[in-house]
Each structure stands twice: as structure tokens, then as C-alpha cells.
Amino acid sequence: MLRRTFFAQTLSLALASFFTRQTFAQHAAHSAHAAHPMPEMAGMPEMGSTVMGQPTGAGLAPMDALPVGAPLPALRTLANTSREPGVFRATLVAHPVPHQWLAGAPTLVWQYDPQTQHPAPGSTEPAIGPLIDVREGDTVEIRFINHLPQPSTIHWHGLPVPPDQDGNPADPVAPGASRLYRFTLPRGSAGTYWYHPHPHMMTAEQVFRGLAGPFIVRAADDPLQGWPERHLFFTDLKLAQDGTIAPNETLDWMNGREGQFVLLNGAHQPRIEVVEDERWRVWNGCNARYLKLTLGANQRFSQVGTDGGLLAQPRDGLTELLLAPGERAELIVPVGSVAHQGSLSAAAYDRGKMALSHGSLPPDPARVLAQVHFAAPAGSPAAAGVRRPLPAQLRRVPALGTPVAQKTVVFTEAMEMDALPMQHDAPGATPMTAHAALPRGMKFMINGAVFDPSQVMLTSRRDEVEQWSLENRTDMDHPFHLHGTQFQVLARELNGINTPEPFLAWRDTVNLQSGETVRIATLQSMTGERMFHCHILEHEDLGMMATLKVI
């Protein structure tokens, strides 16, 4: 059902029961936290959530509240405490940490750190989890300690890990508890991944408060391993005037949350200095923001990788690349022979965001994400116009083969306008808290149903190639994400036109435009239960998720 075909009846009893069960579970978790406060939270300012109190500011911080032009911060790297060859061992603690974005108004973010101590006052460390940098064949052991007021998990987004190690919502870690995640990375798994929480109905809040981090798996035979590498991790920040993280409002739940600031490695419009051709790994870690990346019409770049690693051949001569929420890419950015000032920007992209009263909201205008200065040192080959040669062949990407089974996944949504918490589009009106009472009147569904943790929607057989038909019968874009494997996009159909995918690539996330059908080939190699869902995290929390059982 399209969202503009409003229905008058109330939400189904199943959906009401769904919300009631989760509210009861959250209440119990919050009560336990109140009875046993964590020492590290004493003396900190209150957060804008239902646990710690709502923001006290009258509205959002202005667009010019954050400084611009500071050097791009380097991501932290998680240290390996193991002395065993081929074993990566570390600890990640999820905990509240004060961060200074607004002068005199510290912001309490939720962050992954290797310890519970807070950064030193004035620390410039980005509010992003540390980079986990490992190699194919490594065994990874991460001890996760939850010092949040909510249950949480760590989901290893895109990585081929066993189902019971993937941080699925059925396996939460309670506040104050810990668990060990352990998995071995097989040959062929090299790529650009990330990690984030996945507790149902709390994922969106935990990510927008700061819980996310990059994960790289490297191959011994990487043809680009000699290239200088730059890491660009995008996140979204919705900041109140008093420095607190603003809670979700109705439009945030309806469209997915977009803040007034897009941060790059935790900084607002930082400065990037490019002095030679570089390999960029780019992550879209935003809840819902689409990033149509461009360096300008005259600054071309090459795409060499997707979610699951390198392409077979580079895609040269690009000026734009769309990254949906959750997607990653690897790029080759040339410095050129003439020094010039440019910018990394997000071009305007219309994803069909809803308005509360009628119709759709206009697309967001283009915005600068970083200032980029291109200048090769005098006397260098690049300054003389000599480009570093890019291999014509990066790796083999064989087709998965003939599917032996077919599956259909249909995204739908429905709005009961009379039940929505407010009936106008004024920003800042009637703010909804993030998880005390999820909004009524919205249904985001897969195959006609909202997520039920007790139900398996689809069943697959291990090691069988399947073709999935992903259909978006809504009026807005939705990014599809499948756990446990990488898949290959075969073709796209829109407005009656079927277009074969022009190149093979490994992906775990693919965007579905309104009215579009995307056909993918996929194979699951481990038995157990997996999730598949929309990666607009608010939509995932509101039910656009389902369970796949692999037998």
C-alpha cells in the first residue's frame, strides 16, 4: 500500500502487542539501571533521552554552530593485545563519553572505546569507534562490555561471521554485562566493513548517539596495498542548542533521522590535503542520510571497491557516486598536476521523503562535506603530470551461478495520519523521545508484516545459490541489507524497463528506489538465523526487518 493511500482503521493488534512487549522489556532494563547506576556516569550532564531526561534547549543548534576547516582527524586504531600469530584480540566498551562540539556545552555521546576511561579534557579524538584492522585468515576475539543504560549488541556489518556471533537482536547484552564475540575471517573476505549495535527498537538511537566504527579486512595479495590510504567515515549529528543530542521527532521516525550536521571522522567540514594519488575507503554510517558524493564536475575519480571488497576492474571517469545508509566504497582519487582548491560534497538527491500534511518534502540541497586541497609537491611525478598506473585487473569476481531457488521480498509502508503524534511540519514541534513510546500510526513492513522476533519469514538451504527479487512498493527509497553474506546485483527494473547490472560486485547493502525491483544472487554458507531489513535505522526499529533461517 502506498503511503498516500491513508487508512482509517487502527493499527493491528499484533503491532500493538509488538510495541507493548518491547516497552515492558525496556522498562525493566531502565529500572535495573536506575537501581544500579554506573560509576562512570556520575556527575555527567543529562542526555536528551527517556532514560536521562530530554534536552532542555529550545531548539536545534544553528548550522554555523560548529567550526569548519580543521584538518581531517585520523581514525583511532584498536590495538591488538594478542601475541599469537593470526589472532586479533581486544576489548570494546560501549559507554557514555562527554565530547566538546559546542563551546561550554559538552555533549554526552555513546561511544566504543578499548577502556572505560574518558578522553582527557580537550581531546580531539573523533567520537567514532576505533578502526579494527585485520587480515584474511585472522581469528578475531572481541570482548564487548556494555556500560550503557540499554541492552546492546555488536553487529559485524557485512562480515561472514557465524549467526551466533553476529550481534543479532535475539542475542542482547544487558546493561553491565559482557560477552565474547569470536570468528575467523575466511580467504576472500577482504573488504571495507563496519560495526554497530543491533538491539531491536533501540538500534537507531544507539547509532545516532555515536555507536559505530570501521572494520577493514586486508588480503595478502591486494593489488592496491602500496597506495596511500585515507579513511572517510560519515556520521550524522542532530544537536540541540544546549549541546545535547536531540531526540527523534515524528518526521525522523517517518523518513529516517537526518541531523543538521554531517560529520566526517567526527569533524564538521574538515580540510583534506591531497599530495599524491590516494585510495579512499568511504563509509556511510548515517542512520538515514544518502550521500551522493562528488568532488566536482571537473574532478574525476575511479571506483575500485564496494561493500565486499575490490571490483574486477576499476570504474574510471566518475564524477558522482551514491552511497545509501550502510554502504561503503573504495575510490582512487588523483591529485592532478595543477594545484587547486576543491570540495567533497553531497549533491542533491531526492529519496522521496514524506511530509506530515501532504505530498513529499523537497530534496535536501547540496552541501559541502569537506574542503579538499589538491597540490602535488614540486618535482614529484604527479606535479609533472605522471599518474600512478592503476591495475587494469583488480581481482576475479566470478558469478555465483545458476539459482536453484527464488525468493521475493516486498517493502511496503502505511501511514494512519490521524494517529500520528502531530499534524504539521514545523521543525521542533512535539518532539518524540527515542524509545519510551515509539510513534503510532506508522507501519514499515516486509511482505506485509512488521518484524516479529518469534517468527521466521524465509528459509534457505546452506550453500544453495538463490535469486531474490527485492520490490519497493513505497513512495520513498529504502536500502536493503542482508546479514551473513555478500550478494551480487543482477538487474534492476524501474518503470517497466529492465536493466542488467553493468558490472559484478560483492555487496551487502543495495538501494531500492520507489517502485523499483532489484534482483540479486546470494548464497548463505552457515546455518542459523539471519536478519534482513531496511538500513534506514528508524524503519528497521519500526518493523521493516525479518528473519531468514538457514538450514
Side-chain angles (χ1 to χ4, degrees):
M1 179 186 295
L2 296 182
R3 68 168 180 261
R4 297 186 182 95
T5 307
F6 304 139
F7 56 92
Q9 68 269 30
T10 59
L11 293 179
S12 68
L13 178 62
L15 183 59
S17 172
F18 177 63
F19 285 163
T20 301
R21 289 197 305 271
Q22 185 64 24
T23 301
F24 176 81
Q26 291 168 353
H27 175 75
H30 297 164
S31 298
H33 171 69
H36 302 283
M38 286 170 260
E40 67 176 15
M41 299 176 71
M44 289 188 178
E46 289 188 337
M47 293 176 287
S49 80
T50 58
V51 179
M52 309 297 288
Q54 294 185 27
T56 58
L60 298 181
M63 293 290 291
D64 59 356
L66 301 190
V68 302
L72 176 71
L75 296 176
R76 301 173 293 157
T77 300
L78 188 63
N80 184 9
T81 63
S82 170
R83 296 184 178 179
E84 303 172 49
V87 175
F88 183 94
R89 184 176 294 121
T91 296
L92 280 177
V93 181
H95 62 150
V97 176
H99 191 85
Q100 195 75 39
W101 275 302
L102 299 181
T107 302
L108 202 61
V109 300
W110 293 357
Q111 186 168 302
Y112 291 118
D113 283 311
Q115 69 284 318
T116 58
Q117 289 78 23
H118 301 139
S123 172
T124 58
E125 288 187 350
I128 296 170
L131 168 66
I132 300 175
D133 199 328
V134 297
R135 304 186 72 82
E136 290 179 343
D138 282 355
T139 294
V140 178
E141 295 180 355
I142 303 289
R143 171 68 63 182
F144 171 54
I145 302 174
N146 183 9
H147 282 183
L148 300 174
Q150 301 176 357
S152 192
T153 74
I154 299 183
H155 166 53
W156 312 101
H157 183 119
L159 286 164
V161 307
D164 63 353
Q165 302 298 311
D166 202 21
N168 288 327
D171 190 19
V173 179
S178 68
R179 72 150 292 171
L180 179 69
Y181 291 103
R182 189 177 191 275
F183 48 88
T184 298
L185 297 166
R187 181 173 177 80
S189 61
T192 303
Y193 306 96
W194 62 305
Y195 58 96
H196 60 79
H198 216 300
H200 185 45
M201 300 174 95
M202 291 172 277
T203 297
E205 179 184 17
Q206 292 187 13
V207 173
F208 77 59
R209 291 196 181 281
L211 287 176
F215 197 122
I216 294 174
V217 181
R218 300 187 185 275
D221 56 352
D222 183 352
L224 302 176
Q225 62 184 350
W227 288 66
E229 189 169 295
R230 192 180 295 276
H231 302 145
L232 305 176
F233 197 98
F234 287 99
T235 54
D236 214 276
L237 178 64
K238 187 175 183 181
L239 200 61
Q241 288 178 347
D242 63 355
T244 56
I245 302 289
N248 270 351
E249 299 180 3
T250 305
L251 281 173
D252 294 321
W253 286 108
M254 186 179 286
N255 294 313
R257 178 187 178 98
E258 292 182 347
Q260 71 269 48
F261 305 109
V262 181
L263 303 183
L264 177 50
N265 293 3
H268 185 224
Q269 294 184 23
R271 185 180 74 254
I272 299 174
E273 300 286 343
V274 179
V275 298
E276 58 182 319
D277 295 358
E278 294 183 345
R279 177 187 192 176
W280 287 11
R281 294 183 188 259
V282 186
W283 291 261
N284 185 348
C286 301
N287 275 37
R289 185 180 297 279
Y290 283 65
L291 296 171
K292 192 174 185 180
L293 299 176
T294 179
L295 288 162
N298 298 320
Q299 181 68 45
R300 299 183 181 275
F301 58 87
S302 301
Q303 182 185 10
V304 293
T306 48
D307 302 334
L310 295 177
L311 302 173
Q313 296 92 24
R315 298 179 64 217
D316 295 321
L318 303 183
T319 58
E320 292 182 336
L321 182 68
L322 179 67
L323 285 187
E327 281 192 294
R328 292 86 63 208
E330 296 184 49
L331 313 176
I332 295 295
V333 177
V335 62
S337 58
V338 179
H340 63 283
Q341 187 70 33
S343 64
L344 175 62
S345 299
Y349 178 72
D350 187 359
R351 62 182 182 91
K353 289 191 294 185
M354 311 180 205
L356 280 171
S357 54
H358 57 83
S360 297
L361 297 174
D364 291 341
R367 67 164 68 202
V368 173
L369 305 172
Q371 304 164 20
V372 187
H373 183 233
F374 296 90
S380 67
V386 179
R387 284 203 61 186
R388 184 172 187 169
L390 186 60
Q393 188 74 24
L394 299 171
R395 71 163 175 174
R396 288 187 65 249
V397 182
L400 273 176
T402 304
V404 298
Q406 309 282 331
K407 285 184 169 51
T408 298
V409 172
V410 180
F411 282 177
T412 55
E413 61 196 20
M415 298 292 122
E416 184 185 4
M417 300 305 287
D418 291 342
L420 293 177
M422 58 182 179
Q423 295 297 315
H424 53 88
D425 297 332
T430 317
M432 302 261 329
T433 54
H435 59 264
L438 294 177
R440 295 172 299 165
M442 301 183 195
K443 294 178 72 173
F444 292 94
M445 298 166 285
I446 294 180
N447 292 355
V450 295
F451 176 63
D452 183 341
S454 67
Q455 297 294 316
V456 170
M457 179 171 286
L458 300 176
T459 301
S460 296
R461 291 188 176 275
R462 185 182 64 182
D463 295 331
E464 285 190 352
V465 178
E466 298 182 332
Q467 179 174 300
W468 288 34
S469 179
L470 313 174
E471 301 179 22
N472 181 3
R473 298 181 187 173
T474 77
D475 292 332
M476 68 187 304
D477 286 23
H478 294 281
F480 169 86
H481 173 53
L482 175 62
H483 287 206
T485 189
Q486 297 286 316
F487 55 75
Q488 295 175 347
V489 175
L490 303 177
R492 303 169 189 260
E493 184 177 335
L494 184 63
N495 298 325
I497 300 174
N498 188 74
T499 306
E501 192 72 356
F503 59 93
L504 279 180
W506 294 112
R507 297 182 169 102
D508 53 63
T509 306
V510 63
N511 188 50
L512 308 179
Q513 296 182 62
S514 173
E516 185 177 34
T517 296
V518 175
R519 294 179 178 85
I520 65 172
T522 183
L523 178 150
Q524 293 279 357
S525 61
M526 289 175 270
T527 59
E529 293 189 355
R530 299 289 194 183
M531 316 309 298
F532 57 98
H533 57 87
C534 172
H535 217 278
I536 292 176
L537 298 183
E538 282 73 20
H539 296 171
E540 173 194 320
D541 276 350
L542 289 174
M544 197 173 263
M545 178 164 65
T547 301
L548 169 73
K549 185 173 184 178
V550 183
I551 59 176

